Amino acid sequence: QKEVEQDPGPLSVPEGAIVSLNCTYSNSAFQYFMWYRQYSRKGPELLMYTYSSGNKEDGRFTAQVDKSSKYISLFIRDSQPSDSATYLCAMKANSGYSTLTFGKGTMLLVSP
Amino acid sequence: GAVVSQHPSRVICKSGTSVKIECRSLDFQATTMFWYRQFPKQSLMLMATSNEGSKATYEQGVEKDKFLINHASLTLSTLTVTSAHPEDSSFYICSATSGGATYEQFFGPGTRLTVL
């Protein structure tokens, strides 16, 4: 079993839809969870950074962490065509220096 | 946010040649830089971690003699792919962190390497 599992998609939705992206993980030591957005042939851009279980909201984006289920989610409200990208989850065990473990990424396509 | 640049953005080379990729933190001092490789539809795989003035730490399975990393200053790290072969063709991405409470990593735009 891989440390982080993420459905590669593609996930196709119409403009305005609510999008749900998810990752599961196996390492219970992970405490810090991130979502990155990566446009084609570009480097990842940090969207959300959360610690432990709970929700965090930033504009149209909400990150949710359920450590008991080892499951994290990213919700995008009122999705826009400009949201079309690959979304990568990443996680690490410590707040300080430690390497990130990434999921494969989910490709999202938002059609106008 | 912090900006990380990479140069070149794309390189095509013949098999057997060496290629150097630069990673620069433009508006902050990067205590640590990371080098990743990403194959199509695959996750980012960490290759090595480098701290300024120290030897890089390579992940298991990454040949340190093939992927030479130099982190000569707090704003520049270079990755040299020596004697490149077609199987080295990939998307190489660097990231940098200045430390701080969260050690957030800022990613460069990536370099597409194609070895013929």
Side-chain angles (χ1 to χ4, degrees):
Chain A
Q1 182 188 12
K2 293 185 178 179
E3 275 199 297
V4 180
E5 299 274 4
Q6 186 176 8
D7 187 335
L11 175 63
S12 296
V13 301
E15 183 175 358
I18 296 175
V19 175
S20 172
L21 303 165
N22 312 293
C23 287
T24 59
Y25 63 95
S26 58
N27 188 345
S28 58
F30 289 140
Q31 295 194 73
Y32 296 85
F33 305 92
M34 287 134 277
W35 285 95
Y36 287 85
R37 178 175 60 196
Q38 185 177 22
Y39 291 111
S40 181
R41 301 182 182 182
K42 300 292 184 183
E45 169 194 11
L46 182 66
L47 282 177
M48 301 288 283
Y49 186 110
T50 55
Y51 166 69
S52 194
S53 288
N55 294 356
K56 184 176 182 179
E57 189 174 319
D58 184 0
R60 296 186 294 114
F61 299 91
T62 299
Q64 202 170 73
V65 174
D66 182 350
K67 288 188 67 182
S68 63
S69 302
K70 297 189 178 67
Y71 187 89
I72 69 170
S73 301
L74 177 70
F75 297 97
I76 307 174
R77 291 184 298 280
D78 188 25
S79 57
Q80 303 295 311
S82 58
D83 294 328
S84 297
T86 295
Y87 290 79
L88 300 136
C89 64
M91 44 200 80
K92 62 179 182 174
N94 302 311
S95 62
Y97 166 73
S98 64
T99 58
L100 294 175
T101 300
F102 284 87
K104 282 189 177 182
T106 299
M107 180 182 290
L108 171 66
L109 302 172
V110 182
S111 54
Chain B
V3 179
V4 176
S5 69
Q6 274 184 249
H7 178 80
S9 59
R10 175 178 290 188
V11 58
I12 300 172
C13 69
K14 293 182 178 180
S15 184
T17 60
S18 293
V19 174
K20 180 185 283 188
I21 303 170
E22 290 186 351
C23 176
R24 293 182 184 271
S25 56
L26 298 185
D27 51 2
F28 67 102
Q29 293 187 323
T31 54
T32 305
M33 287 185 167
F34 304 86
W35 286 96
Y36 294 84
R37 182 166 48 184
Q38 187 178 34
F39 292 106
K41 299 187 179 181
Q42 296 295 316
S43 180
L44 276 76
M45 297 302 296
L46 180 66
M47 299 174 66
T49 303
S50 73
N51 294 294
E52 185 263 339
S54 302
K55 288 185 177 180
T57 302
Y58 290 82
E59 295 299 302
Q60 192 172 10
V62 178
E63 299 175 59
K64 62 180 181 180
D65 294 330
K66 181 169 184 62
F67 299 99
L68 301 178
I69 292 172
N70 184 289
H71 193 162
S73 75
L74 285 172
T75 59
L76 173 65
S77 177
T78 60
L79 168 67
T80 301
V81 183
T82 62
S83 187
H85 289 93
E87 58 266 28
D88 298 322
S89 298
S90 187
F91 194 51
Y92 291 86
I93 306 176
C94 72
S95 71
T97 180
S98 61
T102 61
Y103 279 76
E104 181 180 343
Q105 291 184 32
F106 299 96
F107 285 82
T111 296
R112 173 76 57 190
L113 170 63
T114 302
V115 185
L116 302 176

